[in-house]
Amino acid sequence: MSRLIDIKSLDLDELNEFILSMNEKKFRSSQIYTWLHQKGVHSFLEMTNLSKELINKLSETCSIVKVEQLDCLSSKEDGTKKFLFELEDDQVVESVLMSYKYGNSVCISSQVGCKMGCKFCASTIGGLVRNLKPSEMLEQIYAIEKFSGEKISNIVVMGTGEPFDNYDNLMKFIKIINSKEGRNIGQRNITVSTCGIVPRIYDFADANTDVNLAISLHAAGDDVREKLMSIVHQFTYEELMASCKYYTKTTNRRITFEYSLVKGINDSKDDAYLLTRKLKGLLCHVNLIPMNNVEGRPFEKSDEETIKNFKRILESKKITTTIRRALGQEVDAACGQLRRSYTNKSNNESKRT
Ligand code: SAH
């Protein structure tokens, strides 16, 4: 990796400090920040309001991270677009653009691969390769905005990777994308999804932002959760619930629990009633996700009727519940599936040659 400073990963305070350390005037940092985060340029030469001298200094010491679009698949059914981006070290990540009535939402990846080991998830199959830098998370959004010509109003960090396993870079990313001098995307329009890394849930609560928290729960207790997720070996259900209570008390914000329904594993009436007891009194909302089949994984999605019944039971106990629209099925939009099919394809091709 290059030893140059990754200037797009600096927040405005850090950029100020850097610019002052070069004996330049402070207002230069706002100019540079605007070029990077609002105008999206990828060369210092394009920063036409800077002096030649400063452009030269920046070119010698800094790099402007860029992602290269490899592919874009559009779903004919619902217009969802899935993007594959190549990073500077040839790694590949995926992002998704979804259009809703309220605006356009982008789902970004936070890591290359993932080490969390959820047994139904395609992202975890090859393990973790590396964390994404703040600049690489930002670039997924900037590149989609540029390519599609659509304004992005919402962000979900629910693509490949575990955002709370890359916590500092995630928080820096949020700070930059939320900044007035950057894209100014409101904290309430950003959602971070975690498989439940308990110490980071406490940190996130203490950070006291308006960013939404989603937790991949997928079960009402450790025994069923263990069939689906390896994270139970690090943090028990009770520990997870205690951190959730702390979060809602500290922030007064609702948690979204994601619950992927898997046939015969976590979708019985008993599972639903147990879940209502576990979530009793907690400021929350449940989002039911029909399991997306992943090649080589033994899990099947629950029947539609079962899903509706599950929802009815939760609602009978006053838990607000939604069923996630299955967007982008034909474009492998479930977590990690497109990257996986791409890496499989290139592996097969290189095997053939
Ligand atoms: N690591 C984070 C975010 C990435 S996954 C997390 O675990 O929350 C985003 C959501 O999609 C999670 O709820 C995850 O459990 C779910 N998911 C992943 N693969 C899936 C699949 N094949 N079918 C249904 N849901 C899936």
Side-chain angles (χ1 to χ4, degrees):
M1 280 256 164
S2 120
R3 270 182 289 114
L4 297 172
I5 294 167
D6 168 15
I7 194 166
K8 203 178 280 179
S9 287
L10 302 182
D11 64 38
L12 191 52
D13 296 333
E14 291 168 332
L15 191 58
N16 277 336
E17 212 173 291
F18 175 61
I19 291 302
L20 291 175
S21 77
M22 290 200 294
N23 294 322
E24 291 282 343
K25 294 259 166 22
K26 194 175 161 192
F27 75 93
R28 292 294 182 202
S29 57
S30 306
Q31 291 179 320
I32 297 167
Y33 198 83
T34 306
W35 283 114
L36 293 172
H37 299 288
Q38 290 186 355
K39 301 183 182 156
V41 303
H42 288 103
S43 157
F44 293 109
L45 292 172
E46 290 175 72
M47 302 186 179
T48 46
N49 53 2
L50 304 186
S51 68
K52 272 224 173 71
E53 233 185 298
L54 178 56
I55 290 176
N56 285 342
K57 272 198 262 179
L58 290 170
S59 307
E60 280 162 21
T61 49
C62 301
S63 71
I64 304 180
V65 163
K66 189 170 194 245
V67 296
E68 209 64 63
Q69 188 174 317
L70 291 178
D71 211 346
C72 170
L73 302 180
S74 268
S75 154
K76 282 182 221 90
E77 256 166 55
D78 55 40
T80 296
K81 289 190 178 65
K82 184 109 182 187
F83 295 81
L84 259 191
F85 294 115
E86 188 170 62
L87 309 174
E88 281 163 359
D89 58 356
D90 298 341
Q91 293 295 338
V92 174
V93 292
E94 60 188 45
S95 331
V96 186
L97 169 63
M98 296 159 287
S99 300
Y100 294 96
K101 277 187 221 111
Y102 59 76
N104 294 305
S105 180
V106 168
C107 172
I108 63 158
S109 295
S110 56
Q111 295 180 313
V112 181
C114 183
K115 66 173 186 220
M116 293 300 134
C118 297
K119 295 171 187 168
F120 49 82
C121 180
S123 294
T124 205
I125 293 173
L128 175 69
V129 179
R130 69 171 176 85
N131 283 330
L132 291 187
K133 297 178 277 191
S135 54
E136 293 169 321
M137 296 188 232
L138 293 162
E139 267 293 288
Q140 295 172 58
I141 296 159
Y142 300 169
I144 289 179
E145 208 159 41
K146 206 171 226 173
F147 177 81
S148 66
E150 303 272 2
K151 180 128 188 56
I152 307 303
S153 54
N154 292 66
I155 295 164
V156 292
V157 189
M158 283 191 192
T160 297
E162 168 49 50
F164 279 5
D165 186 42
N166 187 15
Y167 189 78
D168 293 345
N169 285 347
L170 169 80
M171 296 310 272
K172 181 75 74 62
F173 156 76
I174 290 173
K175 187 169 178 192
I176 296 174
I177 198 81
N178 173 235
S179 61
K180 277 195 211 67
E181 304 81 358
R183 280 294 209 273
N184 199 12
I185 294 185
Q187 292 185 354
R188 284 164 200 272
N189 291 357
I190 304 173
T191 301
V192 174
S193 175
T194 176
C195 65
I197 301 188
V198 167
R200 296 293 86 72
I201 296 175
Y202 285 102
D203 289 343
F204 198 64
D206 290 338
N208 214 344
T209 67
D210 281 328
V211 173
N212 305 299
L213 178 63
I215 294 185
S216 301
L217 198 59
H218 305 323
D222 277 327
D223 47 347
V224 176
R225 203 162 187 252
E226 204 219 335
K227 294 184 189 163
L228 299 169
M229 303 175 82
S230 308
I231 191 75
V232 297
H233 302 300
Q234 287 185 59
F235 309 105
T236 65
Y237 207 83
E238 295 315 313
E239 288 168 332
L240 176 59
M241 282 299 141
S243 69
C244 292
K245 278 188 191 124
Y246 179 82
Y247 175 86
T248 54
K249 252 178 73 185
T250 312
T251 62
N252 205 24
R253 294 188 64 75
R254 188 177 295 273
I255 294 179
T256 297
F257 288 110
E258 296 158 280
Y259 194 107
S260 295
L261 283 157
V262 192
K263 198 177 204 160
I265 304 255
N266 64 358
D267 63 349
S268 72
K269 287 184 180 159
D270 285 350
D271 290 317
Y273 281 114
L274 185 59
L275 185 62
T276 65
R277 292 198 289 280
K278 290 289 169 72
L279 300 185
K280 196 166 180 236
L282 194 65
L283 190 57
C284 70
H285 163 108
V286 173
N287 193 206
L288 297 174
I289 312 172
M291 171 64 54
N292 244 307
N293 281 59
V294 174
E295 217 184 293
R297 302 269 147 150
F299 305 112
E300 261 181 76
K301 75 160 72 117
S302 310
D303 309 324
E304 234 164 82
E305 208 39 47
T306 312
I307 300 178
K308 281 188 192 145
N309 280 335
F310 205 94
K311 179 172 190 269
R312 251 178 246 133
I313 293 172
L314 298 187
E315 284 173 339
S316 73
K317 301 287 179 191
K318 308 266 177 303
I319 296 173
T320 358
T321 308
T322 44
I323 299 176
R324 185 184 290 176
R325 249 198 315 155
L327 285 175
Q329 294 275 345
E330 358 135 32
V331 292
D332 283 346
C335 195
Q337 290 189 5
L338 181 65
R339 171 173 174 264
R340 176 102 196 118
S341 47
Y342 176 81
T343 32
N344 274 349
K345 199 168 117 213
S346 41
N347 282 346
N348 289 340
E349 273 162 13
S350 57
K351 266 183 220 145
R352 255 184 261 132
T353 50

